[in-house]
């Protein structure tokens, strides 16, 4: 029998990975483009990119860890409350589960039977999944999210930095901008394929916002630029 492939298994790390790489490319490339547009020297542009990579990766890791930890705290609080209710009001909890299954289309008798069987096996798991919407695939994982965000941000940020190293100074803005759009498009393809989403929609979404950020920052650099 052929095993089905479900993309929901990847949702935890995929979100953090795509967000990290996307931010790494856009923020670093935009900063580089903005500084390059001021007629800064190539070393100044390069070290601006390095600073953006380090600061951005640490910021992404901290932000993801704090954000996902808050989500985990909420989940744990709900689970503790559910444990208390299961211990002290088992009949009311069984009725809650029965009502959930009735709303999903089961008859009252079958819904009650399913609720009883599931609560015999693992009552807390049944309620956390069907009442609270907490499952293994969607449960918050702060450390995993932080590491994925930091690493993927750095991976994305290093791309425009390499372009700066390899391109002539006079073409820095164009080289970084055009290559970053290509990198973002490729990221959109990879993210869409990994998540089973529409590729064209994903590519348009990431390249539009990336191009907008590059245009705005390069324009500001050009407008207020000076020799550094």
């Amino acid at each position: 029998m052929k095993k089905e492939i479900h993309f929901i298994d990847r949702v935890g790390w995929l979100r953090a990975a795509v967000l990290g790489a996307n931010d790494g490319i856009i923020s670093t490339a935009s900063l580089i483009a903005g500084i390059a547009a001021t007629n800064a020297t190539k070393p100044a542009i390069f070290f601006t990119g390095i600073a953006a990579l380090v600061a951005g990766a640490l910021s992404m890791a901290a932000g993801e860890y704090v954000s996902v930890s808050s989500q985990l705290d909420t989940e744990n609080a709900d689970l503790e409350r559910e444990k208390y209710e299961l211990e002290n009001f088992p009949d009311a909890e069984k009725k809650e589960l029965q009502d959930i299954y009735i709303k999903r289309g089961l008859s009252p008798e079958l819904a009650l039977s399913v609720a009883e069987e599931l609560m015999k096996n693992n009552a807390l798991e049944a309620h956390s999944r069907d009442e609270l919407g907490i499952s293994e695939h969607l449960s918050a994982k702060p450390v995993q999210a932080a590491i994925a965000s930091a690493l993927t941000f750095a991976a994305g940020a290093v791309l425009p930095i390499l372009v700066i190293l390899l391109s002539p100074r006079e073409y820095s803005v164009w080289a970084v901008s055009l290559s970053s759009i290509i990198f973002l498009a490729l990221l959109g393809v990879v993210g869409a394929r990994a998540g089973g989403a529409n590729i064209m929609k994903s590519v348009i979404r990431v390249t539009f916002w990336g191009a907008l950020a590059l245009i705005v920052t390069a324009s500001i650099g050009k407008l207020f630029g000076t020799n550094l």
Side-chain angles (χ1 to χ4, degrees):
M1 182 177 177
K2 185 178 179 181
K3 184 179 179 180
E4 293 183 355
I5 298 175
H6 297 288
F7 297 104
I8 192 65
D9 296 355
R10 309 170 182 175
V11 70
W13 63 262
L14 182 61
R15 171 192 166 274
V18 171
L19 179 63
N22 185 76
D23 278 3
I25 295 172
I26 293 178
S27 62
T28 306
S30 297
L31 186 56
I32 287 175
I35 294 297
T38 66
N39 295 320
T41 62
K42 193 167 182 176
I45 299 170
F46 171 75
F47 286 111
T48 295
I50 294 297
L53 185 157
V54 174
L58 293 175
S59 176
M60 285 291 293
E64 278 292 317
Y65 185 82
V66 171
S67 174
V68 180
S69 292
S70 296
Q71 179 185 339
L72 182 60
D73 290 342
T74 301
E75 290 180 3
N76 288 336
D78 279 341
L79 289 174
E80 287 300 320
R81 186 181 302 110
E82 204 61 37
K83 285 180 184 178
Y84 174 82
E85 291 175 350
L86 284 169
E87 291 174 359
N88 294 277
F89 312 105
D91 291 337
E93 289 299 297
K94 184 192 301 181
K95 184 64 169 62
E96 279 187 356
L97 213 54
Q98 179 189 18
D99 291 341
I100 290 171
Y101 299 141
I102 290 174
K103 290 178 181 178
R104 292 181 181 177
L106 298 184
S107 66
E109 296 78 14
L110 181 56
L112 178 59
S113 177
V114 171
E116 289 175 341
E117 287 298 315
L118 288 177
M119 289 185 68
K120 284 180 185 178
N121 182 46
N122 191 325
L124 182 61
E125 180 182 339
H127 280 270
S128 65
R129 180 183 62 245
D130 295 324
E131 183 182 348
L132 303 177
I134 301 173
S135 69
E136 179 184 354
H137 301 311
L138 300 178
S139 181
K141 297 179 176 64
V143 175
Q144 183 189 64
I147 293 174
S149 293
L151 292 179
T152 52
F153 182 97
V158 78
L159 297 176
I161 294 174
L162 290 175
V163 172
I164 280 296
L165 286 175
L166 299 174
S167 62
R169 171 62 188 88
E170 59 270 25
Y171 301 120
S172 294
V173 175
W174 285 106
V176 169
S177 298
L178 293 178
S179 63
S180 295
I181 295 299
I182 294 172
F183 295 146
L184 287 169
L186 292 174
L187 177 63
V189 172
V190 172
R193 288 183 64 85
N198 182 280
I199 292 178
M200 185 57 66
K201 184 183 293 186
S202 177
V203 169
I204 292 174
R205 183 166 55 223
V206 296
T207 54
F208 170 79
W209 290 108
L212 180 62
L214 286 161
I215 290 170
V216 171
T217 51
S219 298
I220 293 174
K222 190 69 175 177
L223 182 63
F224 298 102
T226 182
N227 291 315
L228 299 179

